[in-house]
Amino acid sequence: MADKTDTPLSAPTHAQSIASPINLILISLLVVLVYLRLRPKPPPVLAKSPPPIVFRTFTPPMLKPYNGENNMPVYLAVNGKVFDVSNGRNFYGPGGPYENFAGRDASRGLACGSFDEDMLTKDLDGPLDDLKGLGDEEMEAMRGWEERFHDKYLVVGKLVPVGHPEAPKEGS
């Protein structure tokens, strides 16, 4: 007795296709993710390096323009050494608490702990401040400032008086 229940199961009427909409979406997503992961990266852009700083000899009038105004660097001198303190522009540049020292010999003012204009040499064409009249404690304070500047900033030159044999000639 053969009844209809003994017949083998029939195959589905339509075959499962790999091209179903969900499979196409998943394959597309996979392709996009692989592309994003493996695509070539543009080379990194390196920051432009600042121009090299050459050690030079300054006179007080030559140092004066280096006060941070008009996009100039900020230099100041301590004990005959000229430091580029441009990284500390907030302190030594225009509007900073030490702005009086920018472009000047700051030795006496730093030694005395004073920001007054009186501490700066008035006659830029005259001799450099010889620091006479400073006591041992004030000289020690100035040396401490000089050490601090050596640790934090570049020495870009030395300060000599106008007319000194090492002073650059006018126009050079």
Side-chain angles (χ1 to χ4, degrees):
M1 257 187 130
D3 64 15
K4 292 184 179 185
T5 57
D6 290 341
T7 59
L9 293 173
S10 61
T13 56
H14 70 296
Q16 291 289 339
S17 169
I18 194 163
S20 71
I22 190 73
N23 285 345
L24 290 177
I25 291 172
L26 291 174
I27 289 172
S28 299
L29 183 62
L30 179 67
V31 168
V32 168
L33 290 175
V34 168
Y35 170 76
L36 290 175
R37 184 76 171 153
L38 299 178
R39 74 176 171 192
K41 305 273 188 278
V45 178
L46 299 176
K48 188 175 180 183
S49 63
I53 297 174
V54 178
F55 187 89
R56 36 188 288 218
T57 303
F58 291 89
T59 60
M62 290 173 57
L63 187 59
K64 184 75 171 138
Y66 293 93
N67 59 6
E69 294 176 356
N70 302 319
N71 290 329
M72 292 290 285
V74 184
Y75 292 175
L76 64 79
V78 177
N79 204 19
K81 296 179 183 105
V82 179
F83 294 91
D84 180 355
V85 295
S86 298
N87 289 343
R89 184 177 293 272
N90 292 342
F91 293 102
Y92 304 104
Y98 299 94
E99 73 179 328
N100 287 350
F101 300 145
R104 304 293 291 271
D105 182 2
S107 301
R108 183 171 292 272
L110 292 172
C112 295
S114 173
F115 307 114
D116 295 337
E117 284 280 333
D118 303 354
M119 294 289 140
L120 302 173
T121 308
K122 301 287 185 252
D123 181 15
L124 297 182
D125 291 322
L128 296 180
D129 187 352
D130 59 9
L131 304 176
K132 286 186 179 167
L134 294 181
D136 291 341
E137 196 173 296
E138 293 163 324
M139 290 299 288
E140 186 60 36
M142 187 201 49
R143 283 190 286 275
W145 277 101
E146 186 180 1
E147 271 183 42
R148 191 171 302 132
F149 285 126
H150 266 291
D151 291 343
K152 288 182 77 172
Y153 304 112
L154 288 175
V155 176
V156 294
K158 66 180 179 178
L159 187 65
V160 297
V162 173
H164 187 275
E166 292 183 53
K169 305 294 182 241
E170 288 296 318
S172 62

Short mmCIF file of all heavy atoms in Angstrom, two decimals, residues 83-144:
data_model
loop_
_atom_site.label_atom_id
_atom_site.label_comp_id
_atom_site.label_asym_id
_atom_site.label_seq_id
_atom_site.Cartn_x
_atom_site.Cartn_y
_atom_site.Cartn_z
N PHE A 83 69.33 86.24 24.57
CA PHE A 83 68.49 85.05 24.54
C PHE A 83 67.27 85.30 23.66
O PHE A 83 66.70 86.38 23.67
CB PHE A 83 68.00 84.69 25.95
CG PHE A 83 69.09 84.27 26.88
CD1 PHE A 83 69.74 85.20 27.68
CD2 PHE A 83 69.47 82.95 26.97
CE1 PHE A 83 70.74 84.82 28.55
CE2 PHE A 83 70.48 82.55 27.83
CZ PHE A 83 71.12 83.49 28.62
N ASP A 84 66.87 84.28 22.90
CA ASP A 84 65.62 84.32 22.14
C ASP A 84 64.52 83.80 23.06
O ASP A 84 64.40 82.59 23.27
CB ASP A 84 65.72 83.47 20.88
CG ASP A 84 64.44 83.49 20.04
OD1 ASP A 84 63.44 84.09 20.48
OD2 ASP A 84 64.44 82.90 18.95
N VAL A 85 63.73 84.70 23.62
CA VAL A 85 62.68 84.32 24.56
C VAL A 85 61.31 84.36 23.88
O VAL A 85 60.28 84.51 24.54
CB VAL A 85 62.70 85.22 25.82
CG1 VAL A 85 63.97 85.01 26.61
CG2 VAL A 85 62.52 86.69 25.46
N SER A 86 61.30 84.18 22.56
CA SER A 86 60.04 84.23 21.80
C SER A 86 59.04 83.18 22.28
O SER A 86 57.83 83.40 22.22
CB SER A 86 60.31 84.03 20.31
OG SER A 86 61.12 85.06 19.81
N ASN A 87 59.52 82.03 22.75
CA ASN A 87 58.60 81.00 23.28
C ASN A 87 57.88 81.50 24.53
O ASN A 87 56.81 81.00 24.86
CB ASN A 87 59.34 79.71 23.60
CG ASN A 87 59.79 78.99 22.35
OD1 ASN A 87 59.31 79.26 21.26
ND2 ASN A 87 60.75 78.10 22.50
N GLY A 88 58.46 82.47 25.22
CA GLY A 88 57.83 83.07 26.39
C GLY A 88 57.23 84.42 26.07
O GLY A 88 57.20 85.31 26.93
N ARG A 89 56.72 84.57 24.85
CA ARG A 89 56.17 85.86 24.38
C ARG A 89 55.10 86.40 25.33
O ARG A 89 54.97 87.60 25.50
CB ARG A 89 55.60 85.67 22.98
CG ARG A 89 55.08 86.92 22.32
CD ARG A 89 54.61 86.65 20.91
NE ARG A 89 55.67 86.29 20.00
CZ ARG A 89 56.39 87.17 19.31
NH1 ARG A 89 56.15 88.45 19.43
NH2 ARG A 89 57.33 86.76 18.50
N ASN A 90 54.33 85.52 25.97
CA ASN A 90 53.29 85.98 26.91
C ASN A 90 53.89 86.72 28.09
O ASN A 90 53.22 87.57 28.69
CB ASN A 90 52.46 84.80 27.42
CG ASN A 90 51.62 84.18 26.34
OD1 ASN A 90 51.38 84.78 25.30
ND2 ASN A 90 51.19 82.96 26.56
N PHE A 91 55.12 86.41 28.45
CA PHE A 91 55.78 87.06 29.57
C PHE A 91 56.64 88.24 29.12
O PHE A 91 56.64 89.30 29.73
CB PHE A 91 56.68 86.08 30.34
CG PHE A 91 55.91 85.01 31.03
CD1 PHE A 91 55.84 83.74 30.50
CD2 PHE A 91 55.26 85.26 32.22
CE1 PHE A 91 55.12 82.74 31.13
CE2 PHE A 91 54.53 84.28 32.87
CZ PHE A 91 54.47 83.01 32.32
N TYR A 92 57.41 88.04 28.03
CA TYR A 92 58.41 89.03 27.65
C TYR A 92 57.99 89.90 26.47
O TYR A 92 58.61 90.91 26.21
CB TYR A 92 59.73 88.31 27.29
CG TYR A 92 60.21 87.45 28.42
CD1 TYR A 92 60.06 86.07 28.37
CD2 TYR A 92 60.77 88.00 29.56
CE1 TYR A 92 60.47 85.26 29.42
CE2 TYR A 92 61.17 87.21 30.60
CZ TYR A 92 61.03 85.84 30.53
OH TYR A 92 61.42 85.06 31.57
N GLY A 93 56.94 89.50 25.76
CA GLY A 93 56.49 90.26 24.61
C GLY A 93 55.53 91.38 25.00
O GLY A 93 55.28 91.63 26.18
N PRO A 94 54.98 92.05 24.01
CA PRO A 94 54.05 93.16 24.26
C PRO A 94 52.88 92.71 25.14
O PRO A 94 52.26 91.69 24.91
CB PRO A 94 53.56 93.53 22.86
CG PRO A 94 54.64 93.06 21.94
CD PRO A 94 55.21 91.83 22.58
N GLY A 95 52.63 93.50 26.20
CA GLY A 95 51.54 93.20 27.11
C GLY A 95 51.90 92.27 28.25
O GLY A 95 51.12 92.08 29.17
N GLY A 96 53.10 91.69 28.22
CA GLY A 96 53.52 90.77 29.27
C GLY A 96 54.12 91.52 30.46
O GLY A 96 54.50 92.68 30.35
N PRO A 97 54.23 90.85 31.60
CA PRO A 97 54.75 91.53 32.80
C PRO A 97 56.23 91.94 32.66
O PRO A 97 56.65 92.88 33.33
CB PRO A 97 54.58 90.49 33.91
CG PRO A 97 54.43 89.18 33.22
CD PRO A 97 53.85 89.47 31.87
N TYR A 98 56.99 91.28 31.80
CA TYR A 98 58.40 91.61 31.63
C TYR A 98 58.66 92.34 30.31
O TYR A 98 59.77 92.36 29.82
CB TYR A 98 59.25 90.34 31.65
CG TYR A 98 59.18 89.54 32.93
CD1 TYR A 98 58.29 88.49 33.06
CD2 TYR A 98 60.01 89.84 34.00
CE1 TYR A 98 58.22 87.75 34.23
CE2 TYR A 98 59.96 89.11 35.17
CZ TYR A 98 59.05 88.06 35.28
OH TYR A 98 58.99 87.34 36.43
N GLU A 99 57.63 92.95 29.73
CA GLU A 99 57.77 93.56 28.40
C GLU A 99 58.83 94.66 28.35
O GLU A 99 59.40 94.92 27.30
CB GLU A 99 56.42 94.09 27.90
CG GLU A 99 55.94 95.34 28.59
CD GLU A 99 54.62 95.85 28.04
OE1 GLU A 99 54.36 95.68 26.84
OE2 GLU A 99 53.85 96.40 28.83
N ASN A 100 59.11 95.33 29.48
CA ASN A 100 60.14 96.37 29.50
C ASN A 100 61.51 95.83 29.13
O ASN A 100 62.36 96.56 28.64
CB ASN A 100 60.24 97.02 30.88
CG ASN A 100 59.08 97.92 31.18
OD1 ASN A 100 58.27 98.23 30.31
ND2 ASN A 100 58.96 98.34 32.42
N PHE A 101 61.72 94.53 29.38
CA PHE A 101 63.03 93.94 29.14
C PHE A 101 63.22 93.48 27.69
O PHE A 101 64.34 93.20 27.28
CB PHE A 101 63.26 92.74 30.06
CG PHE A 101 63.21 93.09 31.53
CD1 PHE A 101 62.69 92.20 32.44
CD2 PHE A 101 63.70 94.29 32.01
CE1 PHE A 101 62.66 92.49 33.80
CE2 PHE A 101 63.67 94.61 33.36
CZ PHE A 101 63.15 93.70 34.25
N ALA A 102 62.15 93.39 26.92
CA ALA A 102 62.24 92.89 25.55
C ALA A 102 63.05 93.85 24.70
O ALA A 102 62.83 95.06 24.70
CB ALA A 102 60.85 92.71 24.96
N GLY A 103 64.04 93.31 23.99
CA GLY A 103 64.89 94.13 23.15
C GLY A 103 65.89 94.95 23.92
O GLY A 103 66.47 95.89 23.39
N ARG A 104 66.11 94.62 25.17
CA ARG A 104 67.00 95.42 26.03
C ARG A 104 67.91 94.51 26.86
O ARG A 104 67.74 93.30 26.92
CB ARG A 104 66.16 96.26 27.00
CG ARG A 104 65.14 97.18 26.39
CD ARG A 104 65.73 98.32 25.60
NE ARG A 104 66.40 99.31 26.40
CZ ARG A 104 65.82 100.37 26.94
NH1 ARG A 104 64.54 100.58 26.77
NH2 ARG A 104 66.53 101.23 27.65
N ASP A 105 68.85 95.16 27.56
CA ASP A 105 69.69 94.47 28.54
C ASP A 105 68.90 94.45 29.85
O ASP A 105 68.67 95.49 30.45
CB ASP A 105 71.02 95.20 28.72
CG ASP A 105 71.94 94.50 29.71
OD1 ASP A 105 71.58 93.43 30.23
OD2 ASP A 105 73.04 95.04 29.97
N ALA A 106 68.48 93.27 30.27
CA ALA A 106 67.62 93.14 31.44
C ALA A 106 68.39 92.79 32.70
O ALA A 106 67.78 92.53 33.74
CB ALA A 106 66.57 92.05 31.17
N SER A 107 69.71 92.80 32.66
CA SER A 107 70.52 92.33 33.78
C SER A 107 70.19 93.02 35.09
O SER A 107 69.90 92.36 36.10
CB SER A 107 72.01 92.51 33.47
OG SER A 107 72.36 91.82 32.31
N ARG A 108 70.22 94.35 35.13
CA ARG A 108 70.01 95.07 36.37
C ARG A 108 68.57 94.89 36.88
O ARG A 108 68.35 94.65 38.06
CB ARG A 108 70.33 96.55 36.21
CG ARG A 108 70.20 97.34 37.51
CD ARG A 108 70.73 98.75 37.37
NE ARG A 108 72.16 98.79 37.20
CZ ARG A 108 73.05 98.83 38.19
NH1 ARG A 108 72.63 98.82 39.45
NH2 ARG A 108 74.34 98.88 37.94
N GLY A 109 67.60 94.96 36.00
CA GLY A 109 66.21 94.80 36.42
C GLY A 109 65.93 93.43 37.00
O GLY A 109 65.24 93.30 38.01
N LEU A 110 66.47 92.39 36.36
CA LEU A 110 66.26 91.04 36.88
C LEU A 110 67.00 90.84 38.19
O LEU A 110 66.50 90.19 39.11
CB LEU A 110 66.71 90.00 35.85
CG LEU A 110 65.85 89.93 34.58
CD1 LEU A 110 66.50 89.02 33.54
CD2 LEU A 110 64.44 89.46 34.89
N ALA A 111 68.21 91.41 38.30
CA ALA A 111 68.98 91.28 39.53
C ALA A 111 68.27 91.95 40.70
O ALA A 111 68.26 91.42 41.81
CB ALA A 111 70.37 91.89 39.34
N CYS A 112 67.65 93.09 40.44
CA CYS A 112 66.98 93.85 41.50
C CYS A 112 65.52 93.43 41.68
O CYS A 112 64.86 93.90 42.62
CB CYS A 112 67.05 95.34 41.19
SG CYS A 112 68.72 95.99 41.21
N GLY A 113 65.01 92.60 40.79
CA GLY A 113 63.61 92.19 40.88
C GLY A 113 62.67 93.35 40.58
O GLY A 113 61.59 93.43 41.14
N SER A 114 63.10 94.25 39.70
CA SER A 114 62.30 95.44 39.40
C SER A 114 61.97 95.48 37.91
O SER A 114 62.82 95.21 37.06
CB SER A 114 63.08 96.69 39.78
OG SER A 114 62.39 97.85 39.35
N PHE A 115 60.74 95.88 37.60
CA PHE A 115 60.30 96.00 36.21
C PHE A 115 60.30 97.45 35.75
O PHE A 115 59.82 97.76 34.68
CB PHE A 115 58.89 95.42 36.04
CG PHE A 115 58.75 94.02 36.56
CD1 PHE A 115 57.94 93.74 37.64
CD2 PHE A 115 59.45 92.98 35.97
CE1 PHE A 115 57.81 92.45 38.13
CE2 PHE A 115 59.32 91.68 36.45
CZ PHE A 115 58.51 91.42 37.52
N ASP A 116 60.81 98.34 36.58
CA ASP A 116 60.77 99.77 36.27
C ASP A 116 61.68 100.12 35.10
O ASP A 116 62.73 99.51 34.90
CB ASP A 116 61.20 100.60 37.49
CG ASP A 116 60.25 100.46 38.66
OD1 ASP A 116 59.08 100.10 38.42
OD2 ASP A 116 60.68 100.70 39.81
N GLU A 117 61.28 101.17 34.38
CA GLU A 117 62.09 101.70 33.27
C GLU A 117 63.44 102.20 33.80
O GLU A 117 64.42 102.24 33.06
CB GLU A 117 61.35 102.84 32.56
CG GLU A 117 60.24 102.39 31.65
CD GLU A 117 60.73 101.91 30.30
OE1 GLU A 117 61.79 102.36 29.83
OE2 GLU A 117 60.03 101.07 29.71
N ASP A 118 63.48 102.61 35.07
CA ASP A 118 64.72 103.13 35.65
C ASP A 118 65.84 102.09 35.63
O ASP A 118 67.02 102.45 35.68
CB ASP A 118 64.50 103.54 37.11
CG ASP A 118 63.40 104.57 37.28
OD1 ASP A 118 62.90 105.04 36.24
OD2 ASP A 118 63.05 104.89 38.42
N MET A 119 65.47 100.83 35.61
CA MET A 119 66.47 99.77 35.64
C MET A 119 67.12 99.55 34.28
O MET A 119 68.10 98.82 34.17
CB MET A 119 65.82 98.44 36.08
CG MET A 119 65.34 98.44 37.48
SD MET A 119 66.73 98.43 38.61
CE MET A 119 66.17 99.55 39.84
N LEU A 120 66.59 100.16 33.24
CA LEU A 120 67.12 99.97 31.88
C LEU A 120 68.07 101.11 31.53
O LEU A 120 67.88 102.25 31.95
CB LEU A 120 65.96 99.93 30.88
CG LEU A 120 64.92 98.83 31.12
CD1 LEU A 120 63.75 99.01 30.17
CD2 LEU A 120 65.54 97.46 30.95
N THR A 121 69.08 100.79 30.74
CA THR A 121 70.03 101.80 30.29
C THR A 121 69.30 102.76 29.35
O THR A 121 68.65 102.35 28.40
CB THR A 121 71.20 101.12 29.53
OG1 THR A 121 71.73 100.09 30.36
CG2 THR A 121 72.27 102.11 29.19
N LYS A 122 69.40 104.06 29.65
CA LYS A 122 68.71 105.07 28.85
C LYS A 122 69.45 105.34 27.53
O LYS A 122 68.84 105.41 26.48
CB LYS A 122 68.60 106.40 29.62
CG LYS A 122 67.86 106.27 30.93
CD LYS A 122 66.39 106.08 30.72
CE LYS A 122 65.66 106.06 32.03
NZ LYS A 122 65.17 104.79 32.41
N ASP A 123 70.77 105.48 27.61
CA ASP A 123 71.58 105.82 26.43
C ASP A 123 72.02 104.53 25.74
O ASP A 123 72.97 103.88 26.18
CB ASP A 123 72.79 106.66 26.85
CG ASP A 123 73.65 107.07 25.67
OD1 ASP A 123 73.19 106.96 24.51
OD2 ASP A 123 74.79 107.51 25.91
N LEU A 124 71.32 104.19 24.65
CA LEU A 124 71.64 102.93 23.95
C LEU A 124 72.98 103.00 23.23
O LEU A 124 73.56 101.97 22.93
CB LEU A 124 70.52 102.59 22.96
CG LEU A 124 69.15 102.33 23.56
CD1 LEU A 124 68.15 101.96 22.46
CD2 LEU A 124 69.19 101.25 24.61
N ASP A 125 73.45 104.19 22.94
CA ASP A 125 74.76 104.33 22.27
C ASP A 125 75.90 104.45 23.26
O ASP A 125 77.06 104.52 22.87
CB ASP A 125 74.74 105.56 21.34
CG ASP A 125 73.83 105.34 20.14
OD1 ASP A 125 73.80 104.21 19.62
OD2 ASP A 125 73.13 106.30 19.74
N GLY A 126 75.60 104.47 24.54
CA GLY A 126 76.62 104.60 25.57
C GLY A 126 77.16 103.24 25.98
O GLY A 126 76.87 102.20 25.36
N PRO A 127 77.93 103.22 27.06
CA PRO A 127 78.49 101.94 27.53
C PRO A 127 77.40 101.05 28.10
O PRO A 127 76.34 101.51 28.51
CB PRO A 127 79.48 102.37 28.61
CG PRO A 127 79.00 103.71 29.08
CD PRO A 127 78.33 104.35 27.90
N LEU A 128 77.69 99.76 28.13
CA LEU A 128 76.76 98.80 28.74
C LEU A 128 76.78 99.00 30.26
O LEU A 128 77.75 99.50 30.83
CB LEU A 128 77.17 97.36 28.41
CG LEU A 128 77.12 96.94 26.95
CD1 LEU A 128 77.55 95.49 26.81
CD2 LEU A 128 75.73 97.13 26.37
N ASP A 129 75.71 98.58 30.89
CA ASP A 129 75.62 98.65 32.35
C ASP A 129 76.68 97.71 32.93
O ASP A 129 76.69 96.51 32.65
CB ASP A 129 74.21 98.22 32.77
CG ASP A 129 73.96 98.42 34.26
OD1 ASP A 129 74.90 98.74 35.00
OD2 ASP A 129 72.80 98.25 34.67
N ASP A 130 77.56 98.26 33.75
CA ASP A 130 78.63 97.44 34.35
C ASP A 130 78.17 96.77 35.64
O ASP A 130 78.95 96.06 36.29
CB ASP A 130 79.88 98.27 34.59
CG ASP A 130 79.63 99.47 35.49
OD1 ASP A 130 78.52 99.56 36.09
OD2 ASP A 130 80.53 100.31 35.62
N LEU A 131 76.92 97.00 36.02
CA LEU A 131 76.29 96.37 37.19
C LEU A 131 76.95 96.77 38.50
O LEU A 131 76.80 96.08 39.51
CB LEU A 131 76.24 94.85 37.04
CG LEU A 131 75.54 94.33 35.78
CD1 LEU A 131 75.64 92.82 35.70
CD2 LEU A 131 74.09 94.78 35.73
N LYS A 132 77.70 97.90 38.49
CA LYS A 132 78.28 98.40 39.74
C LYS A 132 77.15 98.83 40.66
O LYS A 132 76.11 99.31 40.22
CB LYS A 132 79.22 99.57 39.46
CG LYS A 132 80.52 99.12 38.84
CD LYS A 132 81.49 100.25 38.71
CE LYS A 132 82.77 99.71 38.11
NZ LYS A 132 83.65 100.75 37.68
N GLY A 133 77.35 98.64 41.91
CA GLY A 133 76.35 99.01 42.89
C GLY A 133 75.43 97.86 43.27
O GLY A 133 74.61 98.02 44.16
N LEU A 134 75.56 96.74 42.59
CA LEU A 134 74.74 95.58 42.97
C LEU A 134 75.47 94.79 44.04
O LEU A 134 76.69 94.57 43.96
CB LEU A 134 74.48 94.67 41.76
CG LEU A 134 73.63 95.24 40.63
CD1 LEU A 134 73.46 94.20 39.53
CD2 LEU A 134 72.27 95.68 41.14
N GLY A 135 74.72 94.34 45.02
CA GLY A 135 75.29 93.53 46.08
C GLY A 135 75.41 92.07 45.68
O GLY A 135 74.98 91.65 44.60
N ASP A 136 76.00 91.28 46.58
CA ASP A 136 76.18 89.85 46.33
C ASP A 136 74.84 89.15 46.10
O ASP A 136 74.72 88.29 45.23
CB ASP A 136 76.92 89.18 47.50
CG ASP A 136 78.37 89.63 47.59
OD1 ASP A 136 78.90 90.14 46.58
OD2 ASP A 136 78.96 89.47 48.67
N GLU A 137 73.84 89.52 46.88
CA GLU A 137 72.53 88.88 46.76
C GLU A 137 71.90 89.19 45.39
O GLU A 137 71.33 88.31 44.75
CB GLU A 137 71.62 89.40 47.89
CG GLU A 137 70.39 88.55 48.13
CD GLU A 137 69.65 89.02 49.37
OE1 GLU A 137 70.21 88.93 50.47
OE2 GLU A 137 68.51 89.48 49.20
N GLU A 138 72.04 90.42 44.94
CA GLU A 138 71.48 90.80 43.64
C GLU A 138 72.24 90.13 42.50
O GLU A 138 71.62 89.68 41.52
CB GLU A 138 71.50 92.32 43.49
CG GLU A 138 70.55 93.00 44.46
CD GLU A 138 70.82 94.47 44.63
OE1 GLU A 138 71.99 94.88 44.60
OE2 GLU A 138 69.84 95.22 44.79
N MET A 139 73.55 90.03 42.63
CA MET A 139 74.34 89.34 41.59
C MET A 139 73.96 87.86 41.53
O MET A 139 73.88 87.28 40.44
CB MET A 139 75.85 89.50 41.85
CG MET A 139 76.36 90.91 41.63
SD MET A 139 76.13 91.50 39.95
CE MET A 139 77.35 90.55 39.08
N GLU A 140 73.71 87.27 42.69
CA GLU A 140 73.29 85.87 42.73
C GLU A 140 71.91 85.71 42.06
O GLU A 140 71.68 84.74 41.34
CB GLU A 140 73.26 85.37 44.18
CG GLU A 140 72.98 83.89 44.31
CD GLU A 140 74.01 83.01 43.62
OE1 GLU A 140 75.20 83.36 43.62
OE2 GLU A 140 73.60 81.97 43.06
N ALA A 141 71.03 86.66 42.30
CA ALA A 141 69.71 86.62 41.67
C ALA A 141 69.85 86.71 40.14
O ALA A 141 69.18 85.99 39.40
CB ALA A 141 68.84 87.75 42.19
N MET A 142 70.74 87.59 39.67
CA MET A 142 70.95 87.72 38.23
C MET A 142 71.53 86.42 37.64
O MET A 142 71.10 85.98 36.58
CB MET A 142 71.88 88.89 37.91
CG MET A 142 71.96 89.13 36.41
SD MET A 142 73.39 90.03 35.87
CE MET A 142 74.72 89.20 36.63
N ARG A 143 72.47 85.81 38.34
CA ARG A 143 73.02 84.53 37.86
C ARG A 143 71.93 83.45 37.83
O ARG A 143 71.92 82.60 36.94
CB ARG A 143 74.20 84.11 38.71
CG ARG A 143 75.49 84.87 38.37
CD ARG A 143 76.71 84.27 39.05
NE ARG A 143 76.74 84.56 40.48
CZ ARG A 143 77.24 85.68 41.02
NH1 ARG A 143 77.72 86.62 40.25
NH2 ARG A 143 77.24 85.86 42.32
N GLY A 144 71.01 83.48 38.79
CA GLY A 144 69.89 82.53 38.78
C GLY A 144 69.01 82.73 37.56
O GLY A 144 68.60 81.76 36.91
#
